[in-house]
Amino acid sequence: MKFVIAFLVLWLLFGTLEWLYPLRKEQKRFRQGWLTDVAHFFFNHILVNLGTYLVAAFLYIFFRGTISPSLQIAVRSQPALLQFVEAFFIAQLTFYTLHRLAHTVPWLWRFHVIHHSSAELDWLASARLHPIEMIVVNIAVGVPLFLLGFTKETFGVYLVFSAILPILNHSNTTFEFPILNRIIATPNFHHWHHSNDLEARNKNFSGFPIIDLMFGTYYLPKTRSPETYGVDETIPPTYWQQLIYPFQTQKQ
């Protein structure tokens, strides 16, 4: 029931923003692939939460000896704001690395291409992710933060922030934050990551654009928006077909 309530709240909030400030006015409310993304929203929560818990429990049992109590105490003794900034940077650097690998390593791309298969973007397109990829990202991002000993409050704030930011960034809105574009990802920044325009491919990987600036993958034209979204390869349209797609033999 909480997922239903969350869906309705997000639909009302971001649906209203997309209605008032649309980037692509011609895009339909129930656009292509909408039902598939609804399935991703609901089923992925169950699969990802269960998978993340099981993998995290396994790792804790076998690697808890690597935890340094003195390091964790030192981290937790820092001011809350400093902890959040550190946690956000560490998490985004990890995410950037995984995200960039997902675009360059063929077998990782087989999972990540599901997310990029949306030919039209709105807030719900953020839910189109293969659950195995989501589990890997959750573990890779969460383990360093756990080992370093950041407080539960820091974890909580980061989880809320990292849940809302992707939804906003995929939304079909015209919001532009000129100063924030180099601090946190915004819709006009992230839409270019989903563009199928040749010059925009493999750009804007992070939720923290400074990291893209550091590694030369920052791309944000000032006077135009992406012309195309999606990928060149044909991705099956239904949720269950997309789940098994990475495991199928690729046609030559």
Side-chain angles (χ1 to χ4, degrees):
M1 180 58 68
K2 66 178 181 180
F3 293 149
V4 174
I5 295 174
F7 179 84
L8 293 175
V9 170
L10 291 171
W11 191 13
L12 178 61
L13 175 60
F14 286 97
T16 301
L17 292 175
E18 291 176 339
W19 176 62
L20 292 174
Y21 310 101
L23 175 64
R24 296 178 179 272
K25 296 180 180 179
E26 73 281 2
Q27 184 168 302
K28 296 179 180 179
R29 181 71 58 192
F30 298 102
R31 43 84 182 164
Q32 178 184 357
W34 188 84
L35 284 176
T36 297
D37 291 344
V38 170
H40 275 281
F41 183 93
F42 285 101
F43 289 115
N44 280 1
H45 275 96
I46 299 171
L47 296 174
V48 172
N49 287 346
L50 177 61
T52 300
Y53 176 81
L54 292 175
V55 175
F58 173 84
L59 292 176
Y60 178 76
I61 292 171
F62 285 91
F63 298 100
R64 58 185 175 183
T66 62
I67 297 174
S68 171
S70 59
L71 174 61
Q72 292 189 332
I73 292 173
V75 171
R76 288 172 184 163
S77 64
Q78 299 177 108
L81 180 59
L82 180 58
Q83 283 193 60
F84 175 76
V85 172
E86 292 172 346
F88 182 72
F89 180 78
I90 292 169
Q92 286 301 318
L93 186 60
T94 303
F95 176 76
Y96 176 93
T97 303
L98 285 174
H99 197 177
R100 191 164 180 178
L101 285 173
H103 279 255
T104 55
V105 178
W107 68 270
L108 290 176
W109 173 249
R110 296 280 292 171
F111 291 90
H112 190 57
V113 70
I114 301 303
H115 183 59
H116 278 270
S117 64
S118 297
E120 297 177 292
L121 292 185
D122 60 13
W123 72 270
L124 187 58
S126 64
R128 184 180 294 197
L129 286 157
H130 197 283
I132 290 181
E133 179 184 12
M134 295 177 70
I135 292 169
V136 171
V137 170
N138 286 349
I139 294 298
V141 170
V143 166
L145 301 186
F146 174 77
L147 291 177
L148 288 170
F150 288 101
T151 63
K152 292 180 179 179
E153 291 75 17
T154 301
F155 259 103
V157 173
Y158 175 75
L159 288 175
V160 171
F161 188 80
S162 62
I164 296 298
L165 188 61
I167 296 174
L168 173 64
N169 288 339
H170 290 84
S171 63
N172 180 36
T173 60
T174 56
F175 290 123
E176 293 189 17
F177 310 104
I179 297 176
L180 288 180
N181 274 339
R182 299 196 178 207
I183 300 175
I184 60 171
T186 51
N188 57 331
F189 172 85
H190 191 68
H191 273 230
W192 279 108
H193 176 70
H194 279 267
S195 173
N196 202 29
D197 301 357
L198 289 176
E199 72 275 15
R201 295 182 184 183
N202 297 327
K203 303 292 184 181
N204 299 0
F205 293 105
S206 181
F208 192 33
I210 290 175
I211 295 176
D212 283 286
L213 284 166
M214 289 169 54
F215 292 102
T217 53
Y218 183 90
Y219 185 81
L220 188 61
K222 295 181 179 180
T223 59
R224 60 193 181 93
S225 298
E227 295 182 9
T228 59
Y229 299 106
V231 291
D232 293 332
E233 60 191 280
T234 302
I235 306 300
T238 71
Y239 175 74
W240 300 110
Q241 289 174 326
Q242 291 178 3
L243 281 191
I244 65 174
Y245 177 79
F247 306 101
Q248 295 176 323
T249 301
Q250 193 169 7
K251 295 181 179 179
Q252 300 296 325

